[in-house]
């Protein structure tokens, strides 16, 4: 858990506070933990999407999943899961995700931008 | 990490110790070192995801070849539908964008006791973790007369590159009315639908240029993946051209006479104008040399991490791994590589672990405008990997569905190779 902050460049301020004060770090970790872990869980789930969908916004043959908001993505995955939207591949993929994972994944994907740097 | 000084790091390490969490880096060591051996789909994916996910891991990828040609889609090259160049990928993006240290050399030994990988040119690379993605080796000798020398006359074309080009040249030189014999391997082998896709796409080529040619599949098995789909496709696209002979009919493939281009089964001898012999397979040689293989010929692994059950600190992914019910395929290797990368990150830098997700998706061509799909999700259990859900295209789907799968397949190839090689 702690190393999440350690290797997150955007969390450098938090790192310095940790270094100065153990008690302060405890408070901040509790606050920061779930957001960072959620982001990492989202990134790991999104890695499975990247086997078919390019995460840089290109969409030849297979639709892009970049540039959509969280709600649209959640609704789409739930629709594939229930069979309301037809795609056998997406049905099997979304069936493997819990509802909680779908929300985490949609939140993560909604933060990606065209030509984003994550794989 | 660039502004992170040693003093701050020491304070941070102290804090983490007091919190009762001691990740690897908190022990005050330099960046963790992961050596990935094999630059195919599994190896390249794991190198990329490790390098992209953490700045405090040095990732080295060892691969003798300067470029990699994908086995998947190489049947389209045999059909004349794609160039081999379009299936060939370099390692520049992995090196330049992701900072993977790519070394073009061969590994001569892995020393688990000294935690060192030794390269042919003499370099010794210390490691904290090794990921081995050695692919397959052929069990020469299971068919009498078929050895490495024989592959120059009767190619296997099951590792893409010169072998695939050789088979294409032989098919181009074959007279109309000739017989192409394809020897299909016993389970388990790389990419279960691929021998039958190969027969389909070579039939597609013959139908245009050598319509009197015949294809004979001599199978070591009595059934194969997607059999009803293939046989339906053969009847619709290439009536009378492809004959499939199962083991129960031939008694099994026993020998080849390379010079006379003969394939001998228990009861018959078949004369080929072109013969493609795909032998029985096992884990790549390096896995065998490193003592990572059990009596099955494949590498037993922990399904949650892909760490070897025989040598701690060494992970095996891809075709060489004994991954329960997972097919041996590029997609499965890519999926395993990600699970493996995240498990290594958890072990080395203490990142949080989440439930692994494993998949296999496959686009298979019956003709240039007719592709079928299969998708499987898997569940990693402590001792094995089981199928959770599975979908396979069905006989009788309309032509537009199959054409759509062709378009998706093209898009998938572009996206997938981007995911693997950057």
């Amino acid at each position: 858990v702690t190393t999440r902050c350690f290797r997150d460049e955007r969390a450098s301020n938090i790192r310095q506070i940790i270094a100065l004060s153990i008690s302060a770090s405890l408070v901040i970790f509790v606050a920061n933990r779930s957001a960072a872990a959620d982001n990492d869980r989202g990134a790991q789930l999104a890695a499975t999407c990247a086997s078919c969908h390019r995460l840089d916004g290109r969409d030849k043959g297979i639709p892009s999943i970049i540039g959509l908001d969280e709600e649209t993505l959640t609704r789409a995955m739930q629709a594939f899961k229930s069979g309301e939207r037809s795609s056998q591949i997406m049905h099997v993929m979304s069936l493997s995700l819990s509802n909680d994972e779908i929300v985490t994944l949609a939140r993560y994907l909604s933060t990606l931008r065209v030509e984003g740097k994550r794989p | 990490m660039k502004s992170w000084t040693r003093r701050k790091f020491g304070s941070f390490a102290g804090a983490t110790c007091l919190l009762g969490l001691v990740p690897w880096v908190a022990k005050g060591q330099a960046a963790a070192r992961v050596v990935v051996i094999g630059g195919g789909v599994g190896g390249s994916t794991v190198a990329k995801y490790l390098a992209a996910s953490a700045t405090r891991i040095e990732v080295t990828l060892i691969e003798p070849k300067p470029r990699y040609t994908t086995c998947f889609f190489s049947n389209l090259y045999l059909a004349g539908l794609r160039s081999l160049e379009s299936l060939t990928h370099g390692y520049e993006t992995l090196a330049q964008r992701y900072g993977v240290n790519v070394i073009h050399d061969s590994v001569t030994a892995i020393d688990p006791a000294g935690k060192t990988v030794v390269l042919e040119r003499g370099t010794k690379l210390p490691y904290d973790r090794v990921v081995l993605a050695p692919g397959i080796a052929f069990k020469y000798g299971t068919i009498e007369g078929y050895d490495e020398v024989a592959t120059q006359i009767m190619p296997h074309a099951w590792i893409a590159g010169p072998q695939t080009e050789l088979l294409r040249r032989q098919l181009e030189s074959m007279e109309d009315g000739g017989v192409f014999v394809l020897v299909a391997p016993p389970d388990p082998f790389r990419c279960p639908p691929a021998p039958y896709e190969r027969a389909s796409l070579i039939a597609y080529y013959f139908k245009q240029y050598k319509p009197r040619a015949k294809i004979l599949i001599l199978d070591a098995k009595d059934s194969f993946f997607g059999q009803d789909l293939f046989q339906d496709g053969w009847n619709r696209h290439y009536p009378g051209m492809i004959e499939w002979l199962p083991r129960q009919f031939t008694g099994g493939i026993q020998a080849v006479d390379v010079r006379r281009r003969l394939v001998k089964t228990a009861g018959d001898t078949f004369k080929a104008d072109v013969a493609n012999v795909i032998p029985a397979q096992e884990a790549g040689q390096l896995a065998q040399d490193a003592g990572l293989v059990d009596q099955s010929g494949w590498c037993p692994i922990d399904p949650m991490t892909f760490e070897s059950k025989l040598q701690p600190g060494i992970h095996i992914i891809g075709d060489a791994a004994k991954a329960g019910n997972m097919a041996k395929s590029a997609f499965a290797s890519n999926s395993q590589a990600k699970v493996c990368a995240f498990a290594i990150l958890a072990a080395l830098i203490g990142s949080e672990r989440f439930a692994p997700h494993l998949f296999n998706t496959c686009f298979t061509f019956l003709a240039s405008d007719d592709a079928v799909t299969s998708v499987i999700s898997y569940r990693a259990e402590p001792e094995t990997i089981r199928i959770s859900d599975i979908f396979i295209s069905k006989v009788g789907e309309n032509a537009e569905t199959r054409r759509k799968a062709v378009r998706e397949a093209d898009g998938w190839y572009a996206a997938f190779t981007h995911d693997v090689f950057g």
Side-chain angles (χ1 to χ4, degrees), chain B residues 170-181 202-203 205-207 209-216 240-242 271-275:
Chain B
Q170 292 184 350
L171 292 167
E172 283 174 343
S173 319
M174 195 183 91
E175 297 285 327
D176 189 9
V179 176
F180 167 60
V181 174
I202 288 174
Y205 164 71
F206 284 164
K207 189 178 174 181
Y209 299 102
K210 303 164 205 266
R212 294 188 296 114
K214 295 284 179 212
I215 297 175
L216 180 62
M241 186 180 273
I242 301 175
K271 173 84 177 86
D273 293 286
V274 175

PDB file of all heavy atoms in Angstrom, chain B residues 170-181 202-203 205-207 209-216 240-242 271-275:
ATOM      1  N   GLN B 170       7.154 -23.476 -51.639  1.00  0.00           N
ATOM      2  CA  GLN B 170       6.801 -24.826 -52.108  1.00  0.00           C
ATOM      3  C   GLN B 170       5.376 -24.867 -52.662  1.00  0.00           C
ATOM      4  O   GLN B 170       5.115 -25.508 -53.671  1.00  0.00           O
ATOM      5  CB  GLN B 170       6.944 -25.835 -50.958  1.00  0.00           C
ATOM      6  CG  GLN B 170       8.395 -26.053 -50.530  1.00  0.00           C
ATOM      7  CD  GLN B 170       8.514 -27.130 -49.456  1.00  0.00           C
ATOM      8  OE1 GLN B 170       7.515 -27.591 -48.902  1.00  0.00           O
ATOM      9  NE2 GLN B 170       9.738 -27.536 -49.156  1.00  0.00           N
ATOM     10  N   LEU B 171       4.476 -24.165 -52.001  1.00  0.00           N
ATOM     11  CA  LEU B 171       3.078 -24.131 -52.471  1.00  0.00           C
ATOM     12  C   LEU B 171       2.988 -23.415 -53.818  1.00  0.00           C
ATOM     13  O   LEU B 171       2.243 -23.822 -54.711  1.00  0.00           O
ATOM     14  CB  LEU B 171       2.187 -23.429 -51.446  1.00  0.00           C
ATOM     15  CG  LEU B 171       1.996 -24.166 -50.111  1.00  0.00           C
ATOM     16  CD1 LEU B 171       1.376 -23.239 -49.065  1.00  0.00           C
ATOM     17  CD2 LEU B 171       1.141 -25.418 -50.297  1.00  0.00           C
ATOM     18  N   GLU B 172       3.783 -22.345 -53.964  1.00  0.00           N
ATOM     19  CA  GLU B 172       3.782 -21.601 -55.228  1.00  0.00           C
ATOM     20  C   GLU B 172       4.326 -22.466 -56.362  1.00  0.00           C
ATOM     21  O   GLU B 172       3.859 -22.376 -57.495  1.00  0.00           O
ATOM     22  CB  GLU B 172       4.617 -20.325 -55.100  1.00  0.00           C
ATOM     23  CG  GLU B 172       3.894 -19.215 -54.339  1.00  0.00           C
ATOM     24  CD  GLU B 172       4.773 -17.996 -54.085  1.00  0.00           C
ATOM     25  OE1 GLU B 172       6.016 -18.102 -54.199  1.00  0.00           O
ATOM     26  OE2 GLU B 172       4.213 -16.941 -53.760  1.00  0.00           O
ATOM     27  N   SER B 173       5.341 -23.302 -56.062  1.00  0.00           N
ATOM     28  CA  SER B 173       5.965 -24.121 -57.113  1.00  0.00           C
ATOM     29  C   SER B 173       5.158 -25.368 -57.446  1.00  0.00           C
ATOM     30  O   SER B 173       5.419 -26.023 -58.458  1.00  0.00           O
ATOM     31  CB  SER B 173       7.359 -24.602 -56.679  1.00  0.00           C
ATOM     32  OG  SER B 173       8.041 -23.598 -56.037  1.00  0.00           O
ATOM     33  N   MET B 174       4.252 -25.742 -56.578  1.00  0.00           N
ATOM     34  CA  MET B 174       3.504 -26.983 -56.789  1.00  0.00           C
ATOM     35  C   MET B 174       2.633 -26.892 -58.057  1.00  0.00           C
ATOM     36  O   MET B 174       2.034 -25.870 -58.328  1.00  0.00           O
ATOM     37  CB  MET B 174       2.622 -27.272 -55.563  1.00  0.00           C
ATOM     38  CG  MET B 174       2.084 -28.680 -55.502  1.00  0.00           C
ATOM     39  SD  MET B 174       0.975 -28.933 -54.086  1.00  0.00           S
ATOM     40  CE  MET B 174      -0.594 -28.516 -54.840  1.00  0.00           C
ATOM     41  N   GLU B 175       2.603 -27.996 -58.794  1.00  0.00           N
ATOM     42  CA  GLU B 175       1.766 -28.049 -60.003  1.00  0.00           C
ATOM     43  C   GLU B 175       0.288 -28.086 -59.613  1.00  0.00           C
ATOM     44  O   GLU B 175      -0.066 -28.625 -58.566  1.00  0.00           O
ATOM     45  CB  GLU B 175       2.074 -29.346 -60.786  1.00  0.00           C
ATOM     46  CG  GLU B 175       3.500 -29.458 -61.299  1.00  0.00           C
ATOM     47  CD  GLU B 175       3.753 -28.561 -62.500  1.00  0.00           C
ATOM     48  OE1 GLU B 175       2.798 -28.369 -63.304  1.00  0.00           O
ATOM     49  OE2 GLU B 175       4.875 -28.045 -62.628  1.00  0.00           O
ATOM     50  N   ASP B 176      -0.560 -27.562 -60.484  1.00  0.00           N
ATOM     51  CA  ASP B 176      -2.004 -27.750 -60.291  1.00  0.00           C
ATOM     52  C   ASP B 176      -2.289 -29.249 -60.362  1.00  0.00           C
ATOM     53  O   ASP B 176      -1.737 -29.954 -61.214  1.00  0.00           O
ATOM     54  CB  ASP B 176      -2.777 -27.002 -61.393  1.00  0.00           C
ATOM     55  CG  ASP B 176      -4.275 -26.976 -61.106  1.00  0.00           C
ATOM     56  OD1 ASP B 176      -4.689 -27.376 -59.995  1.00  0.00           O
ATOM     57  OD2 ASP B 176      -5.029 -26.543 -61.993  1.00  0.00           O
ATOM     58  N   GLY B 177      -3.106 -29.741 -59.469  1.00  0.00           N
ATOM     59  CA  GLY B 177      -3.370 -31.187 -59.409  1.00  0.00           C
ATOM     60  C   GLY B 177      -2.490 -31.892 -58.393  1.00  0.00           C
ATOM     61  O   GLY B 177      -2.659 -33.097 -58.157  1.00  0.00           O
ATOM     62  N   GLY B 178      -1.548 -31.153 -57.767  1.00  0.00           N
ATOM     63  CA  GLY B 178      -0.665 -31.753 -56.764  1.00  0.00           C
ATOM     64  C   GLY B 178      -1.386 -31.998 -55.441  1.00  0.00           C
ATOM     65  O   GLY B 178      -2.516 -31.556 -55.235  1.00  0.00           O
ATOM     66  N   VAL B 179      -0.692 -32.742 -54.570  1.00  0.00           N
ATOM     67  CA  VAL B 179      -1.265 -33.072 -53.262  1.00  0.00           C
ATOM     68  C   VAL B 179      -0.445 -32.393 -52.155  1.00  0.00           C
ATOM     69  O   VAL B 179       0.777 -32.563 -52.081  1.00  0.00           O
ATOM     70  CB  VAL B 179      -1.283 -34.608 -53.027  1.00  0.00           C
ATOM     71  CG1 VAL B 179      -1.793 -34.933 -51.609  1.00  0.00           C
ATOM     72  CG2 VAL B 179      -2.154 -35.283 -54.071  1.00  0.00           C
ATOM     73  N   PHE B 180      -1.141 -31.617 -51.345  1.00  0.00           N
ATOM     74  CA  PHE B 180      -0.517 -30.996 -50.177  1.00  0.00           C
ATOM     75  C   PHE B 180      -0.919 -31.805 -48.955  1.00  0.00           C
ATOM     76  O   PHE B 180      -2.112 -31.957 -48.669  1.00  0.00           O
ATOM     77  CB  PHE B 180      -0.988 -29.542 -50.048  1.00  0.00           C
ATOM     78  CG  PHE B 180      -0.645 -28.903 -48.725  1.00  0.00           C
ATOM     79  CD1 PHE B 180       0.674 -28.773 -48.306  1.00  0.00           C
ATOM     80  CD2 PHE B 180      -1.649 -28.418 -47.894  1.00  0.00           C
ATOM     81  CE1 PHE B 180       0.987 -28.184 -47.091  1.00  0.00           C
ATOM     82  CE2 PHE B 180      -1.346 -27.816 -46.670  1.00  0.00           C
ATOM     83  CZ  PHE B 180      -0.026 -27.707 -46.270  1.00  0.00           C
ATOM     84  N   VAL B 181       0.080 -32.373 -48.264  1.00  0.00           N
ATOM     85  CA  VAL B 181      -0.203 -33.160 -47.053  1.00  0.00           C
ATOM     86  C   VAL B 181       0.170 -32.337 -45.827  1.00  0.00           C
ATOM     87  O   VAL B 181       1.286 -31.808 -45.723  1.00  0.00           O
ATOM     88  CB  VAL B 181       0.584 -34.490 -47.057  1.00  0.00           C
ATOM     89  CG1 VAL B 181       0.398 -35.229 -45.732  1.00  0.00           C
ATOM     90  CG2 VAL B 181       0.139 -35.372 -48.223  1.00  0.00           C
ATOM     91  N   ILE B 202      -4.885 -22.355 -47.278  1.00  0.00           N
ATOM     92  CA  ILE B 202      -4.151 -22.896 -48.427  1.00  0.00           C
ATOM     93  C   ILE B 202      -5.164 -23.354 -49.491  1.00  0.00           C
ATOM     94  O   ILE B 202      -4.940 -23.168 -50.691  1.00  0.00           O
ATOM     95  CB  ILE B 202      -3.171 -24.003 -47.983  1.00  0.00           C
ATOM     96  CG1 ILE B 202      -2.007 -23.337 -47.219  1.00  0.00           C
ATOM     97  CG2 ILE B 202      -2.648 -24.810 -49.174  1.00  0.00           C
ATOM     98  CD1 ILE B 202      -1.018 -24.288 -46.591  1.00  0.00           C
ATOM     99  N   ALA B 203      -6.301 -23.860 -49.055  1.00  0.00           N
ATOM    100  CA  ALA B 203      -7.380 -24.201 -50.005  1.00  0.00           C
ATOM    101  C   ALA B 203      -7.872 -22.935 -50.712  1.00  0.00           C
ATOM    102  O   ALA B 203      -8.165 -22.968 -51.916  1.00  0.00           O
ATOM    103  CB  ALA B 203      -8.528 -24.885 -49.271  1.00  0.00           C
ATOM    104  N   TYR B 205      -6.088 -20.365 -51.423  1.00  0.00           N
ATOM    105  CA  TYR B 205      -5.061 -20.082 -52.441  1.00  0.00           C
ATOM    106  C   TYR B 205      -5.186 -21.046 -53.627  1.00  0.00           C
ATOM    107  O   TYR B 205      -5.184 -20.631 -54.793  1.00  0.00           O
ATOM    108  CB  TYR B 205      -3.680 -20.163 -51.777  1.00  0.00           C
ATOM    109  CG  TYR B 205      -2.523 -20.262 -52.732  1.00  0.00           C
ATOM    110  CD1 TYR B 205      -2.144 -19.164 -53.515  1.00  0.00           C
ATOM    111  CD2 TYR B 205      -1.786 -21.446 -52.863  1.00  0.00           C
ATOM    112  CE1 TYR B 205      -1.079 -19.259 -54.402  1.00  0.00           C
ATOM    113  CE2 TYR B 205      -0.722 -21.546 -53.728  1.00  0.00           C
ATOM    114  CZ  TYR B 205      -0.378 -20.453 -54.499  1.00  0.00           C
ATOM    115  OH  TYR B 205       0.672 -20.544 -55.371  1.00  0.00           O
ATOM    116  N   PHE B 206      -5.317 -22.330 -53.321  1.00  0.00           N
ATOM    117  CA  PHE B 206      -5.440 -23.330 -54.399  1.00  0.00           C
ATOM    118  C   PHE B 206      -6.675 -23.061 -55.271  1.00  0.00           C
ATOM    119  O   PHE B 206      -6.627 -23.211 -56.485  1.00  0.00           O
ATOM    120  CB  PHE B 206      -5.561 -24.744 -53.810  1.00  0.00           C
ATOM    121  CG  PHE B 206      -4.254 -25.324 -53.290  1.00  0.00           C
ATOM    122  CD1 PHE B 206      -4.269 -26.436 -52.448  1.00  0.00           C
ATOM    123  CD2 PHE B 206      -3.020 -24.785 -53.654  1.00  0.00           C
ATOM    124  CE1 PHE B 206      -3.086 -26.997 -51.977  1.00  0.00           C
ATOM    125  CE2 PHE B 206      -1.831 -25.341 -53.180  1.00  0.00           C
ATOM    126  CZ  PHE B 206      -1.869 -26.446 -52.337  1.00  0.00           C
ATOM    127  N   LYS B 207      -7.773 -22.692 -54.638  1.00  0.00           N
ATOM    128  CA  LYS B 207      -9.023 -22.491 -55.377  1.00  0.00           C
ATOM    129  C   LYS B 207      -8.838 -21.451 -56.489  1.00  0.00           C
ATOM    130  O   LYS B 207      -9.424 -21.564 -57.569  1.00  0.00           O
ATOM    131  CB  LYS B 207     -10.115 -22.033 -54.400  1.00  0.00           C
ATOM    132  CG  LYS B 207     -11.510 -21.983 -54.991  1.00  0.00           C
ATOM    133  CD  LYS B 207     -12.512 -21.570 -53.925  1.00  0.00           C
ATOM    134  CE  LYS B 207     -13.892 -21.367 -54.502  1.00  0.00           C
ATOM    135  NZ  LYS B 207     -14.860 -20.947 -53.468  1.00  0.00           N
ATOM    136  N   TYR B 209      -5.655 -20.504 -57.829  1.00  0.00           N
ATOM    137  CA  TYR B 209      -4.513 -20.704 -58.724  1.00  0.00           C
ATOM    138  C   TYR B 209      -4.272 -22.158 -59.125  1.00  0.00           C
ATOM    139  O   TYR B 209      -3.631 -22.420 -60.131  1.00  0.00           O
ATOM    140  CB  TYR B 209      -3.241 -20.128 -58.088  1.00  0.00           C
ATOM    141  CG  TYR B 209      -3.348 -18.648 -57.836  1.00  0.00           C
ATOM    142  CD1 TYR B 209      -3.593 -18.152 -56.561  1.00  0.00           C
ATOM    143  CD2 TYR B 209      -3.238 -17.740 -58.894  1.00  0.00           C
ATOM    144  CE1 TYR B 209      -3.709 -16.796 -56.331  1.00  0.00           C
ATOM    145  CE2 TYR B 209      -3.357 -16.373 -58.674  1.00  0.00           C
ATOM    146  CZ  TYR B 209      -3.601 -15.905 -57.388  1.00  0.00           C
ATOM    147  OH  TYR B 209      -3.727 -14.560 -57.184  1.00  0.00           O
ATOM    148  N   LYS B 210      -4.708 -23.110 -58.299  1.00  0.00           N
ATOM    149  CA  LYS B 210      -4.469 -24.532 -58.598  1.00  0.00           C
ATOM    150  C   LYS B 210      -5.725 -25.314 -58.219  1.00  0.00           C
ATOM    151  O   LYS B 210      -5.722 -26.110 -57.278  1.00  0.00           O
ATOM    152  CB  LYS B 210      -3.254 -25.050 -57.801  1.00  0.00           C
ATOM    153  CG  LYS B 210      -1.975 -24.240 -58.080  1.00  0.00           C
ATOM    154  CD  LYS B 210      -0.898 -24.476 -57.025  1.00  0.00           C
ATOM    155  CE  LYS B 210       0.032 -23.300 -56.954  1.00  0.00           C
ATOM    156  NZ  LYS B 210       1.232 -23.403 -57.768  1.00  0.00           N
ATOM    157  N   PRO B 211      -6.818 -25.081 -58.971  1.00  0.00           N
ATOM    158  CA  PRO B 211      -8.112 -25.606 -58.526  1.00  0.00           C
ATOM    159  C   PRO B 211      -8.210 -27.125 -58.514  1.00  0.00           C
ATOM    160  O   PRO B 211      -9.115 -27.674 -57.893  1.00  0.00           O
ATOM    161  CB  PRO B 211      -9.107 -24.994 -59.525  1.00  0.00           C
ATOM    162  CG  PRO B 211      -8.290 -24.581 -60.701  1.00  0.00           C
ATOM    163  CD  PRO B 211      -6.932 -24.260 -60.183  1.00  0.00           C
ATOM    164  N   ARG B 212      -7.276 -27.824 -59.158  1.00  0.00           N
ATOM    165  CA  ARG B 212      -7.330 -29.300 -59.144  1.00  0.00           C
ATOM    166  C   ARG B 212      -6.500 -29.897 -58.001  1.00  0.00           C
ATOM    167  O   ARG B 212      -6.445 -31.116 -57.831  1.00  0.00           O
ATOM    168  CB  ARG B 212      -6.855 -29.849 -60.502  1.00  0.00           C
ATOM    169  CG  ARG B 212      -7.817 -29.483 -61.661  1.00  0.00           C
ATOM    170  CD  ARG B 212      -7.455 -30.190 -62.969  1.00  0.00           C
ATOM    171  NE  ARG B 212      -6.150 -29.772 -63.483  1.00  0.00           N
ATOM    172  CZ  ARG B 212      -5.089 -30.565 -63.572  1.00  0.00           C
ATOM    173  NH1 ARG B 212      -5.157 -31.835 -63.199  1.00  0.00           N
ATOM    174  NH2 ARG B 212      -3.952 -30.109 -64.058  1.00  0.00           N
ATOM    175  N   ALA B 213      -5.848 -29.043 -57.233  1.00  0.00           N
ATOM    176  CA  ALA B 213      -5.015 -29.524 -56.115  1.00  0.00           C
ATOM    177  C   ALA B 213      -5.880 -30.126 -55.013  1.00  0.00           C
ATOM    178  O   ALA B 213      -7.065 -29.822 -54.888  1.00  0.00           O
ATOM    179  CB  ALA B 213      -4.190 -28.368 -55.554  1.00  0.00           C
ATOM    180  N   LYS B 214      -5.248 -31.023 -54.225  1.00  0.00           N
ATOM    181  CA  LYS B 214      -5.944 -31.652 -53.092  1.00  0.00           C
ATOM    182  C   LYS B 214      -5.158 -31.386 -51.804  1.00  0.00           C
ATOM    183  O   LYS B 214      -3.926 -31.254 -51.822  1.00  0.00           O
ATOM    184  CB  LYS B 214      -6.015 -33.187 -53.296  1.00  0.00           C
ATOM    185  CG  LYS B 214      -6.847 -33.599 -54.489  1.00  0.00           C
ATOM    186  CD  LYS B 214      -8.339 -33.473 -54.212  1.00  0.00           C
ATOM    187  CE  LYS B 214      -9.158 -33.878 -55.425  1.00  0.00           C
ATOM    188  NZ  LYS B 214     -10.413 -33.135 -55.530  1.00  0.00           N
ATOM    189  N   ILE B 215      -5.909 -31.342 -50.713  1.00  0.00           N
ATOM    190  CA  ILE B 215      -5.284 -31.188 -49.396  1.00  0.00           C
ATOM    191  C   ILE B 215      -5.663 -32.391 -48.550  1.00  0.00           C
ATOM    192  O   ILE B 215      -6.851 -32.713 -48.416  1.00  0.00           O
ATOM    193  CB  ILE B 215      -5.752 -29.882 -48.716  1.00  0.00           C
ATOM    194  CG1 ILE B 215      -5.311 -28.670 -49.547  1.00  0.00           C
ATOM    195  CG2 ILE B 215      -5.223 -29.803 -47.282  1.00  0.00           C
ATOM    196  CD1 ILE B 215      -5.819 -27.340 -49.026  1.00  0.00           C
ATOM    197  N   LEU B 216      -4.646 -33.034 -48.006  1.00  0.00           N
ATOM    198  CA  LEU B 216      -4.889 -34.198 -47.151  1.00  0.00           C
ATOM    199  C   LEU B 216      -4.350 -33.880 -45.754  1.00  0.00           C
ATOM    200  O   LEU B 216      -3.157 -33.583 -45.597  1.00  0.00           O
ATOM    201  CB  LEU B 216      -4.150 -35.406 -47.750  1.00  0.00           C
ATOM    202  CG  LEU B 216      -4.273 -36.723 -46.999  1.00  0.00           C
ATOM    203  CD1 LEU B 216      -5.724 -37.203 -46.943  1.00  0.00           C
ATOM    204  CD2 LEU B 216      -3.382 -37.780 -47.671  1.00  0.00           C
ATOM    205  N   GLY B 240     -14.865 -30.897 -51.837  1.00  0.00           N
ATOM    206  CA  GLY B 240     -14.050 -31.964 -52.434  1.00  0.00           C
ATOM    207  C   GLY B 240     -12.558 -31.742 -52.383  1.00  0.00           C
ATOM    208  O   GLY B 240     -11.781 -32.610 -52.801  1.00  0.00           O
ATOM    209  N   MET B 241     -12.092 -30.590 -51.901  1.00  0.00           N
ATOM    210  CA  MET B 241     -10.651 -30.308 -51.954  1.00  0.00           C
ATOM    211  C   MET B 241      -9.896 -30.811 -50.722  1.00  0.00           C
ATOM    212  O   MET B 241      -8.744 -31.235 -50.829  1.00  0.00           O
ATOM    213  CB  MET B 241     -10.419 -28.794 -52.122  1.00  0.00           C
ATOM    214  CG  MET B 241      -8.952 -28.441 -52.330  1.00  0.00           C
ATOM    215  SD  MET B 241      -8.663 -26.671 -52.525  1.00  0.00           S
ATOM    216  CE  MET B 241      -8.899 -26.454 -54.271  1.00  0.00           C
ATOM    217  N   ILE B 242     -10.548 -30.753 -49.539  1.00  0.00           N
ATOM    218  CA  ILE B 242      -9.843 -31.084 -48.296  1.00  0.00           C
ATOM    219  C   ILE B 242     -10.353 -32.409 -47.740  1.00  0.00           C
ATOM    220  O   ILE B 242     -11.562 -32.598 -47.573  1.00  0.00           O
ATOM    221  CB  ILE B 242     -10.052 -29.976 -47.227  1.00  0.00           C
ATOM    222  CG1 ILE B 242      -9.551 -28.628 -47.750  1.00  0.00           C
ATOM    223  CG2 ILE B 242      -9.359 -30.347 -45.916  1.00  0.00           C
ATOM    224  CD1 ILE B 242      -9.827 -27.456 -46.823  1.00  0.00           C
ATOM    225  N   LYS B 271       1.846 -40.135 -50.767  1.00  0.00           N
ATOM    226  CA  LYS B 271       2.837 -39.360 -51.526  1.00  0.00           C
ATOM    227  C   LYS B 271       2.409 -37.889 -51.547  1.00  0.00           C
ATOM    228  O   LYS B 271       1.279 -37.581 -51.917  1.00  0.00           O
ATOM    229  CB  LYS B 271       2.913 -39.910 -52.959  1.00  0.00           C
ATOM    230  CG  LYS B 271       3.768 -39.093 -53.908  1.00  0.00           C
ATOM    231  CD  LYS B 271       5.244 -39.473 -53.797  1.00  0.00           C
ATOM    232  CE  LYS B 271       6.097 -38.706 -54.809  1.00  0.00           C
ATOM    233  NZ  LYS B 271       6.519 -37.391 -54.305  1.00  0.00           N
ATOM    234  N   ALA B 272       3.307 -37.021 -51.131  1.00  0.00           N
ATOM    235  CA  ALA B 272       3.006 -35.588 -51.093  1.00  0.00           C
ATOM    236  C   ALA B 272       3.796 -34.854 -52.160  1.00  0.00           C
ATOM    237  O   ALA B 272       4.928 -35.223 -52.461  1.00  0.00           O
ATOM    238  CB  ALA B 272       3.364 -35.032 -49.725  1.00  0.00           C
ATOM    239  N   ASP B 273       3.192 -33.822 -52.734  1.00  0.00           N
ATOM    240  CA  ASP B 273       3.978 -32.894 -53.552  1.00  0.00           C
ATOM    241  C   ASP B 273       4.568 -31.822 -52.649  1.00  0.00           C
ATOM    242  O   ASP B 273       5.691 -31.382 -52.837  1.00  0.00           O
ATOM    243  CB  ASP B 273       3.092 -32.297 -54.640  1.00  0.00           C
ATOM    244  CG  ASP B 273       2.677 -33.357 -55.640  1.00  0.00           C
ATOM    245  OD1 ASP B 273       3.526 -33.756 -56.459  1.00  0.00           O
ATOM    246  OD2 ASP B 273       1.533 -33.830 -55.566  1.00  0.00           O
ATOM    247  N   VAL B 274       3.774 -31.402 -51.683  1.00  0.00           N
ATOM    248  CA  VAL B 274       4.273 -30.525 -50.623  1.00  0.00           C
ATOM    249  C   VAL B 274       3.800 -31.123 -49.305  1.00  0.00           C
ATOM    250  O   VAL B 274       2.629 -31.483 -49.171  1.00  0.00           O
ATOM    251  CB  VAL B 274       3.741 -29.079 -50.767  1.00  0.00           C
ATOM    252  CG1 VAL B 274       4.172 -28.226 -49.577  1.00  0.00           C
ATOM    253  CG2 VAL B 274       4.203 -28.451 -52.076  1.00  0.00           C
ATOM    254  N   ALA B 275       4.720 -31.246 -48.344  1.00  0.00           N
ATOM    255  CA  ALA B 275       4.344 -31.801 -47.039  1.00  0.00           C
ATOM    256  C   ALA B 275       4.685 -30.795 -45.941  1.00  0.00           C
ATOM    257  O   ALA B 275       5.792 -30.264 -45.886  1.00  0.00           O
ATOM    258  CB  ALA B 275       5.071 -33.110 -46.780  1.00  0.00           C
TER     259      ALA B 275
END
